[in-house]
């Protein structure tokens, strides 16, 4: 089969890597892709936000499956257009993608489905925000209602900073913010593949959202991830499916907007039990990089079964017992406006580290074919090993061979988990 992967990040590079290793897949095309993907597969230019362009490309290529990586095209209805034109695709409809497109909508669905989440108030004025901040107390959590590429959330003890963030969000047309109670405890990302009925969970991973070591500084799209979580309770995945994913999938079906694709459950394991922090309607980046590093089963049959409604007939997924760690190499000034256009050196040397590989995110080739930085998160370097310590060693050995002027990365990805310093709830 031929698969078209839509997107240009390390998440999509990870999808391309797994699909090219899948015996059932004859050809993979990425659009628009990046300098890493174009080393192994054909990359085609496309405006991922234009449903007609994506559908025309899929038809021209005679793609048997289109996998849509990022949330924005899903929220814009690209999956709907593909399906109308008879192109099978992995990813939810525009209506179902509202689970990520609007945090207020997600809260409403969770309330109907009795899914445990933070108490929250949707506010449209600063007075309402002020009231909500007072009633929940510090630390304050203020979220832009709409899509914000992982940067719409402010968690702070500083009430004025919380109000300032709310003011910026409210100033946009249709501005709405969600003010929430603060959730303590470690976070978990669990990707649940669903065809609208059956839910198949992948293995859990943990993401590092803050830019700085020790979780200092502002939120980012994610600076690193690891899997497995040695500290997680044994029944965690079953509990998340039973209390979160299945009730949400059932509620979406009941509403006449069935959800197919991946429901990314972002949770906090609090002292009072699991709570949903957020839903996303696509794979997490960088968590997917470590989850796929552990997947043994062919990826294409899993994604296709979600589209065909046959997940109940899929053989159980097989996983490697080994560990995977990914470290994001970010451009100078990320998560602010990143510096771009710098040569990225050491890629071959990094790829030579045993059990490690380099996935590209914001990269492109310049006029002479040199790989240069082209975004905030530039690379996602993956290391695998028998345990988290071994995987960390390999990931950092590879990161240390990368040469990108002004770049930064966290040195503490998976460090506390490897030392046994994390406890759940
Ligand atoms: P979101 O975009 O909703 O995923 O939020 C981004 C990040 O902000 C999360 O991964 C958490 O680290 C943090 N966050 C969001 N909501 C809360 C909350 N209610 N309590 C504590 N931290 C939160
Ligand atoms: N790593 C977080 C996200 O993909 O939203």
């Amino acid at each position: 089969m031929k698969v078209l992967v839509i997107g240009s990040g390390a998440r999509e590079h990870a999808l391309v890597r797994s699909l090219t290793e899948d015996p059932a897949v004859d050809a993979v095309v990425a659009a628009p892709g990046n300098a890493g993907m174009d080393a192994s597969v054909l990359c085609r230019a496309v405006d991922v936000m234009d449903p007609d362009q994506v559908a025309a490309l899929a038809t021209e290529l005679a793609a048997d499956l289109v996998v849509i990586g990022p949330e924005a095209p899903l929220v814009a209805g690209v999956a709907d257009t593909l399906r109308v034109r008879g192109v099978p695709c992995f990813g939810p409809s525009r209506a179902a993608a509202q689970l990520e497109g609007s945090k207020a909508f997600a809260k409403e669905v969770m309330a109907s489905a009795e899914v445990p989440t933070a108490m929250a108030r949707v506010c449209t004025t600063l007075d309402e925000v002020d009231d909500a901040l007072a009633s929940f107390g510090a630390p304050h959590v203020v979220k832009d209602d709409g899509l914000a590429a992982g940067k719409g959330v402010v968690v702070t003890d500083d009430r004025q900073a919380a109000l300032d963030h709310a003011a910026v969000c409210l100033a946009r047309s249709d501005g709405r913010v969600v003010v929430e109670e603060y959730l303590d405890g470690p976070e978990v990302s669990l990707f649940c593949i669903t065809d609208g009925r059956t839910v198949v969970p992948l293995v859990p991973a943990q993401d590092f959202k803050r830019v700085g070591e020790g979780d200092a500084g502002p939120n980012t799209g994610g600076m690193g991830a690891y899997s497995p979580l040695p500290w997680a309770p044994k029944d965690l995945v079953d509990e998340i499916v039973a209390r979160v994913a299945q009730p949400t999938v059932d509620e979406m079906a009941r509403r006449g907007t069935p959800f197919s694709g991946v429901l990314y459950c972002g949770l906090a394991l609090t002292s009072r039990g699991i709570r949903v922090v957020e839903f996303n309607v696509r794979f997490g980046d960088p968590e997917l990089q470590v989850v796929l590093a552990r997947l043994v089963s062919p990826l294409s049959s899993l994604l296709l079964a979600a589209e065909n409604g046959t997940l109940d007939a899929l053989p159980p997924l097989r996983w490697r017992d080994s560990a995977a760690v990914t470290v994001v190499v970010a451009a100078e000034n990320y998560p602010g406006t990143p510096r771009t256009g710098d040569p990225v050196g050491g890629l071959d040397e990094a790829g030579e580290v045993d059990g490690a590989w380099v996935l590209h995110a914001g990269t492109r080739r310049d006029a002479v074919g040199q790989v240069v930085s082209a975004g905030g998160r530039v690379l996602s370097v993956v290391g695998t090993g028998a345990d988290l310590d071994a995987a960390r060693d390999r990931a950092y050995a590879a990161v240390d061979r990368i040469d990108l002027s002004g770049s930064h990365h966290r040195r503490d990805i998976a460090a506390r988990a490897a030392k046994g310093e994390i406890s759940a709830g």
Side-chain angles (χ1 to χ4, degrees):
M1 66 187 280
K2 188 179 226 183
V3 186
L4 172 61
V5 175
I6 300 296
S8 60
R11 165 184 54 206
E12 288 77 21
H13 194 180
L15 288 166
V16 163
R17 186 176 187 275
S18 292
L19 289 167
T20 49
E21 286 172 358
D22 182 335
V25 176
D26 314 304
V28 180
V29 178
N34 59 31
M37 290 186 249
D38 90 3
S40 57
V41 303
L42 175 68
C43 291
R44 292 284 302 267
V46 77
D47 175 357
V48 302
M49 295 303 288
D50 181 338
D52 289 326
Q53 267 194 43
V54 176
L57 179 61
T59 308
E60 179 202 321
L61 296 168
D64 301 292
L65 179 68
V66 178
V67 182
I68 302 177
E71 61 276 16
L74 293 166
V75 173
V78 171
D80 307 61
T81 301
L82 287 168
R83 291 193 179 109
V84 165
R85 310 242 177 118
V87 182
C89 110
F90 179 81
S93 69
R94 177 189 183 130
Q98 280 305 300
L99 275 180
E100 177 166 359
S102 166
K103 291 187 188 289
F105 175 78
K107 285 287 180 193
E108 185 201 313
V109 170
M110 284 188 263
S112 309
E114 296 182 19
V115 169
T117 185
M119 285 187 296
R121 282 203 218 158
V122 181
C123 305
T124 54
T125 68
L126 266 190
D127 279 347
E128 288 172 4
V129 172
D130 203 33
D131 246 27
L133 293 176
S135 71
F136 292 133
H140 304 295
V141 182
V142 178
K143 303 186 174 187
D144 197 342
D145 180 49
L147 290 186
K151 298 176 203 160
V153 178
V154 162
V155 181
T156 177
D157 283 319
D158 178 346
R159 181 143 169 191
Q160 193 55 48
L163 281 168
D164 291 347
H165 179 61
V168 171
C169 301
L170 289 173
R172 282 192 272 276
S173 57
D174 299 329
R176 287 200 293 186
V177 299
V178 177
V179 179
E180 288 192 359
E181 71 173 319
Y182 177 78
L183 300 174
D184 60 357
E187 286 185 47
V188 172
S189 301
L190 182 71
F191 305 147
C192 294
I193 310 294
T194 178
D195 53 14
R197 237 167 359 119
T198 303
V199 171
V200 174
L202 306 189
V203 289
Q206 190 177 51
D207 180 21
F208 290 75
K209 288 248 163 63
R210 302 275 183 155
V211 71
E213 281 162 26
D215 294 329
N219 271 334
T220 67
M223 294 298 290
Y226 67 93
S227 178
L229 314 178
W231 48 269
K234 288 279 162 286
D235 61 350
L236 179 67
V237 170
D238 291 343
E239 185 183 5
I240 297 170
V241 171
R243 295 188 60 206
V244 176
Q246 191 71 57
T248 302
V249 165
D250 292 347
E251 172 64 16
M252 293 300 284
R254 193 189 65 75
R255 290 172 178 234
T257 50
F259 185 100
S260 77
V262 54
L263 180 65
Y264 161 153
C265 302
L267 300 119
L269 273 50
T270 76
S271 45
R272 291 172 297 132
I274 60 168
R275 297 280 184 280
V276 173
V277 174
E278 63 170 340
F279 282 140
N280 294 311
V281 302
R282 38 77 192 173
F283 290 112
D285 182 348
E287 299 99 304
L288 184 65
Q289 287 87 299
V290 290
V291 170
L292 288 185
R294 299 186 55 216
L295 180 66
V296 177
S297 304
L299 179 61
S300 66
S301 42
L302 173 67
L303 303 181
L304 207 53
E307 170 66 357
N308 292 341
T310 52
L311 278 175
D312 57 350
L314 194 77
L317 295 177
R318 288 176 296 121
W319 298 97
R320 290 183 187 90
D321 285 333
S322 55
V325 170
T326 191
V327 179
V328 169
V329 177
E332 182 172 325
N333 204 42
Y334 177 78
T337 307
R339 171 173 139 189
T340 58
D342 289 299
V344 184
L347 289 166
D348 291 342
E349 293 81 354
E352 282 162 11
V353 173
D354 192 33
W357 56 91
V358 179
L359 300 170
H360 290 226
T363 66
R364 63 175 177 83
R365 280 179 202 278
D366 69 9
V368 294
Q370 159 77 39
V371 176
V372 296
S373 58
R377 293 190 292 176
V378 180
L379 303 171
S380 189
V381 179
V382 181
T384 55
D387 56 19
L388 287 176
D389 269 323
R392 268 173 56 76
D393 285 348
R394 285 167 161 178
Y396 282 111
V399 165
D400 289 341
R401 296 182 176 196
I402 299 289
D403 181 15
L404 171 61
S405 173
S407 70
H408 59 96
H409 61 270
R410 282 180 63 161
R411 298 296 304 185
D412 63 345
I413 305 302
R416 291 185 58 228
K419 289 200 203 104
E421 289 176 5
I422 302 184
S423 60

